[in-house]
Amino acid sequence: IEQFQLGYGLDTWDAFTKDALEKGYQLEYLEKTGLTIVKEDKHYDRFRGRVMFPIHNFSGKVIGFGGRVLKKEVKAAKYVNSPESEVYEKRRVLYGIYYAKKDIIAQDNCYLVEGYTDVVTLYQSGIKNVVSSSGTSLTVDQIRLVKRITNNITILYDGDPAGIKASFRGIDMILQEGLHGRIVLFPVGEDPDSSAVKVSTNVRDEFREVNATEFITFITSLFLVEASSDLVRKIGLIMELP
């Protein structure tokens, strides 16, 4: 909590905005950065009732926030992120990069996950060379941010269909940028966060090393399963390989 500066937005309409205004912050900038939503003559907090994940840029400055709802019965979106602003462009930011960059350089590898809590839990368990695409699909700008400090990237995604599709979207871009990549798909129902909580460090390390698959091998195996015994289909799919 202290390392990532996690916080909480009170579950009231405007507790944060009132406090910010009393401390001299201008409503114009609270609105432009997305912390406060203004409608006509009324204003209220965007992140009320949510755990707050500050998003730091490469040099460590807070440029945006992610907020996760706690109440299960609430119909609101599970996550809310800061809107685009002059200081925050989602496609150019990786959550956790400020804290991870030294370990990424030291280990010459970057683990890429999907969520804020995946980063925090893995970091807490000793895996510190980990970042997240912070609530958006992986972008070329994010890959280039990793490329500044390593040419090796390992994707850690859920093993369900959505996780597999997400991995496909990123693999092409990673290869096009000239990085060497591997992928680890967790069993259905598991993700990096839950895995880090359940198993020991030695088991985690062994799982990642045993199950980490080269991108081309991973794609080929999926294609061949899809094509089954159709030789023409197999040839066509192999031709599509990046």
Side-chain angles (χ1 to χ4, degrees), residues 201-242:
T201 301
N202 290 337
V203 173
R204 273 198 312 276
D205 293 342
E206 182 179 355
F207 176 86
R208 291 199 313 276
E209 289 306 312
V210 170
N211 292 277
T213 306
E214 300 288 337
F215 280 168
I216 299 300
T217 303
F218 169 71
I219 296 172
T220 303
S221 64
L222 289 181
F223 277 178
L224 291 178
V225 170
E226 180 184 339
S228 187
S229 58
D230 188 336
L231 181 59
V232 175
R233 178 64 174 152
K234 283 184 180 179
I235 295 173
L237 290 172
I238 291 175
M239 293 295 290
E240 294 177 19
L241 288 175

Side-chain angles (χ1 to χ4, degrees), residues 25 32 38 40 55 80 83 126 136 143-144 149 175 228 231 236:
Y25 291 92
K32 284 183 176 180
V38 178
E40 297 178 353
I55 299 170
V80 168
T136 184
I143 295 170
R144 289 174 180 169
I149 48 181
L175 292 177
S228 187
L231 181 59

Side-chain angles (χ1 to χ4, degrees), residues 14 21 45 50 61 72 110 114 174 179:
D14 60 353
L21 292 175
D45 303 342
R50 293 177 181 271
K61 293 182 179 180
K72 292 183 178 180
C110 175
E114 291 186 286
I174 291 170
L179 274 72

Side-chain angles (χ1 to χ4, degrees), residues 24-43:
Y25 291 92
Q26 296 181 36
L27 184 61
E28 174 188 358
Y29 296 112
L30 295 176
E31 181 183 16
K32 284 183 176 180
T33 54
L35 293 167
T36 300
I37 297 175
V38 178
K39 288 189 176 181
E40 297 178 353
D41 60 339
K42 298 181 180 179
H43 52 256

Side-chain angles (χ1 to χ4, degrees), residues 9 12-18 20 25-38 43-48 52-55 62-67 80-85 87-88:
T12 60
W13 281 102
D14 60 353
F16 164 78
T17 302
K18 279 184 177 179
Y25 291 92
Q26 296 181 36
L27 184 61
E28 174 188 358
Y29 296 112
L30 295 176
E31 181 183 16
K32 284 183 176 180
T33 54
L35 293 167
T36 300
I37 297 175
V38 178
H43 52 256
Y44 55 92
D45 303 342
R46 179 182 298 274
F47 296 103
R48 60 190 183 279
M52 299 292 291
F53 295 85
I55 299 170
V62 176
I63 56 174
F65 295 90
V80 168
N81 299 297
S82 292
E84 298 274 314
S85 69
V87 296
Y88 177 54

Side-chain angles (χ1 to χ4, degrees), residues 71-90:
K71 297 179 180 179
K72 292 183 178 180
E73 67 275 11
V74 173
K75 294 182 179 180
K78 184 177 180 180
Y79 281 98
V80 168
N81 299 297
S82 292
E84 298 274 314
S85 69
E86 292 183 19
V87 296
Y88 177 54
E89 295 179 89
K90 294 179 183 179

